[in-house]
Amino acid sequence: MIESALGPARSVLNVGAGAGSYEPSGRRVVAVEPSATMIAQRPPGSAPAVQGIAEALPVGGGAFDAATAILTVHHWTDLRAGLSELRRVSRRQAVLTWDPAVSSRFWLVEEYFPQIAERERDLATLDAVRDELEWAGARVEVIPVPVPADCTDGFTGAYWRRPEACLDTEVRAAMSPLALLDPPDVERGLGRKITRHKAHCVHPVVHAHRTDPCGHGDRCAGNARPAR
């Protein structure tokens, strides 16, 4: 779906790129990532990466056909500045985020770790991104992004049909919402016995956003549904 959102773009700036998990193939990609540690973890053959932040991208205006921001906007210190920079450097933008109003109903959050919903209530996610883009004159559309049952990324919603994986310490360590919880809260949640019967629960969590090639900020976002 990211490939589809990028349309005919031949050059892509991937902002908040991390280790490059979602970078498209077959296009000229440059990654921007603030963490030197994450840049060092990019596998051989990855797109070239420069250290920088979304709020002050180290590239010229209109330098790329498209820009992506994949599960990163909630880390930015200034959402408005970061989105403005995306629009400055590219003609099309694709943003992937989530809706806390939806993710708070995910069984892992609602029944085991409600503290996650409390911590995420004020993060810059779907509504904030949509509001900022509309404020900037963007035309906004919301579309769903399916989370496959065998998703390998490891974000919090990835294991919606594999609840037993959440008992694995290494799996939980890769989920930043869980990793940031106080240890007593984690132990309390684990004590509620996460079981395989959760495997049939629906988990809408992720949202995709894209802008049109004319740079008007036509963004798409939506509730993700698990792919059956």
Side-chain angles (χ1 to χ4, degrees):
M1 295 192 75
I2 293 173
E3 292 280 359
S4 176
L6 292 174
R10 299 181 63 183
S11 59
V12 179
L13 185 70
N14 186 22
V15 179
S21 299
Y22 295 95
E23 285 171 1
S25 58
R27 308 174 196 249
R28 180 175 68 86
V29 178
V30 174
V32 176
E33 165 58 41
S35 169
T37 299
M38 293 302 296
I39 292 176
Q41 292 176 5
R42 295 174 64 83
S46 296
V50 295
Q51 192 167 7
I53 59 174
E55 297 85 349
L57 295 173
V59 299
F64 291 84
D65 296 331
T68 56
I70 310 301
L71 296 177
T72 182
V73 295
H74 56 288
H75 294 304
W76 297 356
T77 59
D78 188 331
L79 179 65
R80 178 170 295 180
L83 293 175
S84 177
E85 281 288 88
L86 289 187
R87 300 184 77 216
R88 178 183 69 82
V89 304
S90 65
R91 292 179 289 280
R92 178 189 295 261
Q93 297 82 44
V95 180
L96 188 69
T97 184
W98 74 95
D99 183 354
V102 177
S103 62
S104 64
R105 301 197 299 271
F106 173 34
W107 57 261
L108 185 68
V109 176
E110 186 174 52
E111 299 183 32
Y112 296 92
F113 303 105
Q115 300 86 357
I116 291 176
E118 296 171 11
R119 294 180 67 101
E120 293 185 346
R121 186 174 296 118
D122 297 323
L123 292 181
T125 51
L126 175 64
D127 287 346
V129 175
R130 179 181 56 224
D131 290 348
E132 287 295 338
L133 287 174
E134 289 181 336
W135 177 85
R139 292 179 289 120
V140 180
E141 181 185 1
V142 179
I143 59 172
V145 178
V147 179
D150 59 350
C151 181
T152 59
D153 181 274
F155 60 86
T156 307
Y159 299 98
W160 64 269
R161 204 167 183 179
R162 293 166 290 163
E164 68 280 1
C166 300
L167 299 174
D168 188 306
T169 303
E170 292 186 4
V171 168
R172 295 197 307 275
M175 300 179 185
S176 58
L178 274 177
L180 292 171
L181 289 184
D182 293 332
D185 290 333
V186 175
E187 291 303 316
R188 190 176 303 112
L190 293 176
R192 295 181 181 130
K193 297 182 180 179
I194 298 175
T195 58
R196 187 176 290 273
H197 81 276
K198 298 296 180 185
H200 299 292
C201 291
V202 171
H203 173 37
V205 64
V206 185
H207 309 263
H209 321 62
R210 81 180 169 207
T211 63
D212 65 25
C214 297
H216 297 304
D218 179 27
R219 181 194 64 131
C220 300
N223 296 341
R225 301 285 177 179
R228 298 289 180 175

